[in-house]
Amino acid sequence: MDRTPIPSEDHLSFEAALARLQEIVQDLENDQMDLEASILAYEEGLKLARYCLEQLRTAELRIQQLSLDGEAHPENLD
């Protein structure tokens, strides 16, 4: 398993976090790590999953806000 440290969440794109999360899942599914490495990978995966979920929630809120703004100003939709 590649144990290169992930950048801080402040500098990690959603796509990069998701790609790393997919790598971790594959590594865990291959079942070739010892118990400690598996636990560390699982912890990293949870952190990345939470980060991705938060990014998705933020994006959803932005889209909802844009939709509400568009409804409030229908003349801008032309």
Side-chain angles (χ1 to χ4, degrees):
M1 178 173 93
D2 182 13
R3 295 295 305 159
T4 55
I6 60 169
S8 77
E9 291 178 358
D10 295 337
H11 298 97
L12 189 63
S13 72
F14 173 81
E15 293 79 9
L18 187 59
R20 177 63 186 134
L21 182 55
Q22 290 171 331
E23 289 175 12
I24 290 169
V25 169
Q26 287 179 341
D27 289 342
L28 289 170
E29 287 176 345
N30 288 338
D31 199 28
Q32 296 193 9
M33 294 184 282
D34 62 27
L35 179 61
E36 185 62 28
S38 295
I39 292 170
L40 290 173
Y42 184 80
E43 288 174 341
E44 182 183 353
L46 282 178
K47 183 177 178 182
L48 288 166
R50 288 183 188 122
Y51 174 75
C52 288
L53 184 57
E54 184 61 33
Q55 293 296 308
L56 289 172
R57 286 181 179 153
T58 299
E60 183 178 24
L61 288 174
R62 287 177 63 193
I63 290 168
Q64 288 175 354
Q65 185 61 46
L66 289 169
S67 295
L68 291 175
D69 287 348
E71 290 175 9
H73 305 288
E75 68 278 1
N76 293 336
L77 297 178
D78 292 333

